[in-house]
Structure formats: structure tokens, C-alpha cells
Amino acid sequence: MADPAMSVSPYWELTLDADGDVDQGECDRLLREVRQRGVGDLIVFSHGWNSQRAGATRLYSRFFAPIPKLAPKARIGYVGVIWPSMEFPDQPIPDFPRSTVAATGPTEAPALDDATRHALLDAFPGNATLIDQIARMLDQQPAQGAELEEFGRLVRTLVEVVPPGPQAQFGADTLAEGVPQCEPRMLAVGRTAEVCDQFAQALEHLASPQPPGATAEFTLPNPWKGARELLRQAAYYAMKRRAGTVGERGLGPVVGRLAGVAPEVRVHLVGHSFGGRLVSFALRGLPEGVHSVKSVTLLQGAFSHYAFASRLPDDARTGGVLQGQQNRVDGPLVCCYSHFDSALGTIYPLASRMADDDCSFAAFEIDRVLGDKWGAMGHDGVRAVPGTHSLSLAEALDSPLPTSGCVNVDACAVVCHGGAPNGAHSDIVHPELARVVLAAGRIGRPTAAQASPV
């Protein structure tokens, strides 16, 4: 029976906890019903910054909606991955209802609203008192530098930078990326005031960008606006670590189990933001000999553009945490990116760089200084992987995609809406991107084996 909240059928949800443990009842139902329903292609989509099941389901329903008409003869099943991530509610998703707080803009109100407090409680359960303390400091904005350092201590305590259990090993994308397994330096003792100042400058830069060639005016914005961004980035750091755990320990083994009971089903992994990191780590969690993943599509992936590299350009001894994992895909790994994604173009590399480096810099230097070493693939695509193809969105839709390897698709023609500071990061609900998923998996087209004469 179709879910009235979902635009497609058959559809299953797969819930995983922060350590990657799957809801066994949902998993058993998926494994049992995929064959019963005659599914040939299974599209598995993981959300990114989202803390509520309803929001994730709504995203999946809207993204999947055009697919049945685009591939009417394909026997497609759909899976929505639900995992404990979070978004700050004052950062609205394009075309989704805006919250009351969002209407004022995040730079106007650094205090935590009720929706954000609830999101933090969902993501970090059992920390109500700590979250209240953090909210109180953001409300009061005490002028003393020592108070900013106390704020940093509270944030460090909240995110449990190195938690016990499986999540401890999934922090860094590369050893040089700036997100080490231990405490990131942007949360280090004695650095909070400096880091908050730099985040505040970056937000000011995004809100009032300088025209090309203009000289940026030095300003001293309120560091408590940067303090709010420090809390956001600390939470995202924890979610980033969690995404790797859930992908490798949770989703990867489930795909392996599916291959055991329904080897004929072709699996297509899709991930947005940290969900892109989750489905990529699922490749590392696939059991040996499993070849059922026929495509991976990353939508504004919020992890290092060097994640799949075997060698980094500035350190030949170091590779990405997922080096070679694209070879686990029996098909292409497609990375859709957009330069309109300012969350990944400015804030992400700034946070990654400040996690590892003690040097300071002005906000207007961000794009020039950080864009290469600290960049995210959702902003400029997969880097340092030989043989990677680069296409515009029109090119990707007008001709067959490569049958293997990494493929960068510049999606800025449609991924272009959204205000500061995140820009177009969540602007992914477009039929053109649904078509990319179908093209990557050759869904609705004959495979090479099917096209061959008997």
C-alpha cells in the first residue's frame, strides 16, 4: 500500500542510529519486499543536514516525484535513509516554508530560537542543561573575551569531539584536510575569540560581497555572530563524523545483505550534503565481492574534494580517506556541484582550515586562499583522481554518461537559489538532477548486456 506522504511507490524507509545500527524491522521488510515487488533498480537516497523524519520524507517525495514519468518502463523501487543529523532551522531550504526566525536572517539574531534548541536536543540528546547555557550566552553576548572562551568550552563539551564507540574513527576526510581524529583546533582552548572573529568576518563577507577588483574594507563585526557560526560548524563537524559511521557500519552492510537475497537488483546510491559522505562511506562498508552498486550520485557533497584521491597535490604520501572506493561502483560516481553553494565555497573550507591551522587571514581572502586545499566537492567537484570527466549539466543530459570512474557535473544552471550564508547548498529539488540520477544508473535504458544481440 502506497504511503500517502510519498509521491512514488514502492518506497521504504531505512532508519539508522548514530553508530550505524539499522532498524531491524525496516531492514527485514526491505529485504523481503524488494523481490516480491519485482524491483529491478533501487534508488537509495540519504539526506544531509536534517533532524526530522518528516522533513527528510518530504525531500525524498519531492525529489523522486518526476522519476516515474522520466523512466516509465523501469521497475524502480525507492529507499529513503533516515539518520540522526541536524540542520539549523534558520537556514531555510529553497522552496520549503521559511520559519519565523529565518525571515529576519541569521546575522540579525545570534540567539538560539526554540526550533534550533530542539534540533540540538535531537542531535545531542541528554544535554538540555548544556544547550540552555549556550543559548543564554548567545542571548546575553557578554563583552569579556573570557566569556567567549567559556562559550568555546561549552561547545566542545556538547559535541563530544571524540566520542566513545564507532564514531571515533570517522572524523577526517584526509590527514591534511584539517579535521583530525582528535579535537579540531577551531575548538581548541584559547582560540575561541580568534575563531569567532574570523567566522563573523566571513559571514559579513557573504552578506555584502565585494565586486571584482574592489578592496575590502576592514570591519570588526560582532564576534558573537561568529560564535553562533562556531556552534553550527561544531555541530556539523559531529554530523560529518557521524555520516561516515552510518555509511560504513550501517548502509554498506545493508546493501551487502540485499545483494545476498536479491542479486539481480541494481542499487543506485544518492546523497545530498553529508548524505553524500554517508553513501560514499557505504562503499567502504560493502562486503567483499559485492558488485550490486551500479551508480553513485553526489548532490552538493559536503566533504573534501580530495576524498577519492590516491595522492594529494601538496603531499604525495597522503591520500583521501576514500581513495580508490569509486572502483567499488560497477558504474560511474557522479558529483554534481555548483559555485553558488556558498556553504561549501566559503564556510566549509574556512571551518576545515581553522580546524588545523593557526594562521589568521581576512575574510576577503577566503576564496583565493582556501578554495583549493580546503575545498568541498559540492563546490568544485572531485579533484586529483586521474581520468575524471568534467561535463556541464546540459552535456550530462544530452548524451550517455561514462560507464565508470568519476564524473563531475557542473549543476549551477539549476542549483543557484538561496541566500547567505548557505547559498544554493540545499537547492537540489530539480527534475534535471533526477535525470542525472537516472542517467548515471542507466535506469530506463538498456545495459550493455541487454543491448547486445543474442
Side-chain angles (χ1 to χ4, degrees):
M1 182 175 179
D3 182 346
M6 180 51 54
S7 61
V8 292
S9 180
Y11 171 77
W12 298 270
E13 287 191 343
L14 193 63
T15 303
L16 301 106
D17 69 14
D19 289 329
D21 294 326
V22 66
D23 181 300
Q24 200 56 55
E26 291 180 346
C27 183
D28 290 345
R29 179 179 172 231
L30 170 66
L31 298 178
R32 181 178 65 252
E33 294 183 2
V34 159
R35 296 199 75 178
Q36 294 175 354
R37 301 294 292 268
V39 171
D41 290 278
L42 188 68
I43 302 176
V44 181
F45 194 158
S46 174
H47 64 78
W49 300 343
N50 198 319
S51 59
Q52 300 295 327
R53 177 183 295 267
T57 302
R58 188 164 63 248
L59 169 65
Y60 299 148
S61 183
R62 295 178 73 240
F63 187 89
F64 290 149
I67 291 179
K69 290 185 178 179
L70 293 171
K73 296 183 179 180
R75 296 176 292 112
I76 304 174
Y78 306 84
V79 174
V81 176
I82 307 294
W83 63 286
S85 181
M86 74 163 288
E87 64 175 326
F88 273 61
D90 65 348
Q91 296 302 314
I93 297 174
D95 300 325
F96 273 52
R98 293 170 65 92
S99 69
T100 302
V101 173
T104 65
T107 58
E108 298 300 322
L112 290 186
D113 58 285
D114 287 342
T116 304
R117 293 189 198 202
H118 288 310
L120 287 168
L121 282 169
D122 286 343
F124 305 103
N127 285 288
T129 300
L130 191 58
I131 292 168
D132 285 344
Q133 290 177 288
I134 289 171
R136 191 177 308 116
M137 295 195 78
L138 286 171
D139 280 330
Q140 296 172 352
Q141 302 180 45
Q144 296 85 356
E147 298 297 333
L148 275 171
E149 293 302 329
E150 172 62 11
F151 178 83
R153 184 191 69 79
L154 294 174
V155 172
R156 284 194 298 274
T157 303
L158 175 67
V159 301
E160 295 182 296
V161 177
V162 184
Q167 294 185 65
Q169 59 182 299
F170 295 100
D173 281 344
T174 69
L175 296 178
E177 187 204 16
V179 190
Q181 311 296 356
C182 57
E183 177 180 291
R185 294 186 187 176
M186 71 174 172
L187 295 177
V189 175
R191 292 207 66 207
T192 305
E194 173 197 354
V195 169
C196 289
D197 278 338
Q198 293 191 25
F199 273 135
Q201 290 185 50
L203 292 170
E204 196 79 15
H205 171 72
L206 286 173
S208 304
Q210 296 290 323
T215 301
E217 180 181 351
F218 179 76
T219 59
L220 289 174
N222 181 358
W224 283 100
K225 294 178 181 176
R228 181 185 175 84
E229 188 60 35
L230 175 64
L231 172 62
R232 189 194 312 273
Q233 291 303 322
Y236 290 168
Y237 172 83
M239 297 306 107
K240 178 180 181 179
R241 177 186 62 218
R242 187 177 291 177
T245 305
V246 174
E248 183 166 344
R249 294 193 70 254
L251 183 58
V254 169
V255 174
R257 291 179 62 188
L258 177 63
V261 301
E264 72 282 3
V265 175
R266 305 170 72 248
V267 177
H268 311 278
L269 303 179
V270 182
H272 169 236
S273 187
F274 286 153
R277 191 173 197 262
L278 189 155
V279 300
S280 297
F281 268 79
L283 299 174
R284 204 165 75 169
L286 288 176
E288 195 66 32
V290 170
H291 304 289
S292 59
V293 176
K294 303 301 180 181
S295 69
V296 173
T297 305
L298 308 177
L299 305 173
Q300 303 310 116
F303 58 116
S304 172
H305 54 199
Y306 292 130
F308 295 99
S310 57
R311 292 182 178 84
L312 298 184
D314 60 348
D315 185 356
R317 300 166 299 173
T318 303
V321 71
L322 294 169
Q323 55 184 295
Q325 291 301 318
Q326 69 273 16
N327 298 323
R328 300 298 309 273
V329 184
D330 188 21
L333 183 145
V334 178
C335 173
C336 294
Y337 68 93
S338 171
H339 66 267
F340 291 111
D341 186 336
S342 50
L344 300 185
T346 298
I347 297 299
Y348 174 91
L350 174 60
S352 295
R353 192 260 200 191
M354 287 200 301
D356 188 56
D357 199 323
D358 289 329
C359 300
S360 61
F361 52 90
F364 61 83
E365 296 180 295
I366 289 170
D367 293 337
R368 176 173 60 83
V369 174
L370 302 182
D372 186 53
K373 182 175 181 180
W374 308 103
M377 62 178 59
H379 186 255
D380 54 19
V382 174
R383 295 284 193 92
V385 176
T388 296
H389 300 266
S390 295
L391 303 171
S392 68
L393 182 59
E395 290 170 335
L397 297 177
D398 287 346
S399 58
L401 291 175
T403 57
S404 63
C406 295
V407 182
N408 287 329
V409 175
D410 184 347
C412 69
V414 295
V415 181
C416 55
H417 299 102
N422 284 356
H425 182 68
S426 294
D427 185 22
I428 62 165
V429 180
H430 297 283
E432 293 87 350
L433 297 185
R435 289 175 60 194
V436 170
V437 171
L438 296 175
R442 282 170 167 71
I443 302 173
R445 298 180 181 178
T447 64
Q450 293 168 334
S452 300
V454 178

